[in-house]
Amino acid sequence: NLRKSSSALYEWAQDREHLDPLKYQNPAKTIKRNNKASKGFYTCTIDDVRKYMQHHSPGTMAHRAMIVELCTAARREDLRLLGPFNEFTREGRPWLRWTQSKKPNRVVEIPLLPMLKKEIAEVREGTYIHTSRGTPFTHGSLGNYVRTWFDEAGVKGSLHGVRKGLSSILPHLGATSYEIDVLLGHEMGSDESKTYVAEAERTGLAISLGKKMSKVKW
């Protein structure tokens, strides 16, 4: 970040002729990038979520946050703003609808699952997830609180980790890539969802193959 900021400062100064480019070169451009390999966000497992739920009992905001995330798979910015105003009825059934904050700002519509309906039954104004003052969490504070709640439960995890976990768990339950795209608000036929489904199918095929190979008498 320091290298990028320094480089931008020199370019700004040169563009406005505050510095002579023949005398003053941009020193940041000579600094090699410090690339560090990253595995990305940890993907939460079913066991991680179970331990989290066992630690945070019903009635706590930690419990509600997890229920809402599990039933919507919403990104953090969308999750913190979801509330009764996102509910609507379709053919006599309760649904949720929201416009994603991330471009291209797709509209997500999903049935209101019984587990979520029960959890938010008493919340008829404001947002489902809120601070002790009744105000919505900020983008950063919600992420920090969820990480703290995971730490208190003695497991590793984050909101994005739960979202990734759903993407990898649902295919094993028979969900198609298109169904996952609908839930996550991805473009239909996205490569990301196809990858999760393909991994699940490979696992299933490997198990099937193992059963067949075990019948071979050597």
Side-chain angles (χ1 to χ4, degrees):
N1 289 335
L2 176 60
R3 185 189 64 79
K4 289 180 180 179
S5 299
S6 300
S7 180
L9 173 64
Y10 270 83
E11 290 179 1
W12 178 89
Q14 289 176 352
D15 288 343
R16 288 158 181 76
E17 299 182 351
H18 294 306
L19 291 177
D20 185 347
L22 298 179
K23 292 182 179 180
Y24 299 95
Q25 300 297 317
N26 189 337
K29 289 187 176 181
T30 64
I31 302 174
K32 294 182 179 180
R33 292 176 180 271
N34 186 18
N35 294 322
K36 295 183 178 180
S38 174
K39 296 181 180 179
F41 283 88
Y42 170 74
T43 301
C44 294
T45 66
I46 292 179
D47 287 338
D48 293 332
V49 175
R50 283 175 177 164
K51 291 178 181 178
Y52 176 102
M53 298 297 280
Q54 288 170 358
H55 182 82
H56 298 289
S57 58
T60 63
M61 196 54 61
H63 184 276
R64 181 183 298 172
M66 180 59 70
I67 292 293
V68 179
E69 177 61 19
L70 289 173
C71 294
T72 65
R75 291 187 176 90
R76 190 196 319 177
E77 182 61 20
D78 301 324
L79 181 72
R80 74 181 189 89
L81 297 175
L82 286 178
F85 40 83
N86 294 108
E87 299 174 18
F88 71 101
T89 302
R90 173 174 287 166
E91 297 180 354
R93 294 185 58 189
W95 282 59
L96 282 179
R97 177 197 294 125
W98 70 92
T99 300
Q100 291 184 315
S101 56
K102 183 177 180 179
K103 292 184 178 180
N105 309 116
R106 292 189 178 89
V107 175
V108 179
E109 295 183 346
I110 58 174
L112 184 61
L113 299 180
M115 179 171 64
L116 178 56
K117 184 178 180 180
K118 179 180 178 180
E119 179 68 29
I120 61 175
E122 298 181 357
V123 184
R124 295 298 88 197
E125 60 180 18
T127 55
Y128 297 141
I129 305 170
H130 52 75
T131 67
S132 57
R133 300 186 302 276
T135 58
F137 285 100
T138 64
H139 180 86
S141 65
L142 179 57
N144 292 334
Y145 266 95
V146 172
R147 287 192 183 91
T148 299
W149 292 333
F150 266 106
D151 291 340
E152 292 173 351
V155 289
K156 186 177 180 180
S158 65
L159 275 176
H160 192 67
V162 175
R163 181 178 163 89
K164 287 182 65 178
L166 283 170
S167 300
S168 59
I169 293 170
L170 289 174
H172 292 280
L173 301 177
T176 67
S177 63
Y178 289 109
E179 289 172 334
I180 296 173
D181 286 333
V182 169
L183 177 63
L184 301 183
H186 289 169
E187 180 181 357
M188 298 301 288
S190 69
D191 291 336
E192 182 178 357
S193 296
K194 288 181 180 178
T195 299
Y196 286 120
V197 172
E199 290 176 353
E201 291 177 345
R202 287 178 65 89
T203 300
L205 290 171
I207 293 174
S208 176
L209 177 61
K211 291 180 179 179
K212 293 176 181 177
M213 292 181 67
S214 64
K215 298 178 181 179
V216 179
K217 303 299 181 181
W218 301 100

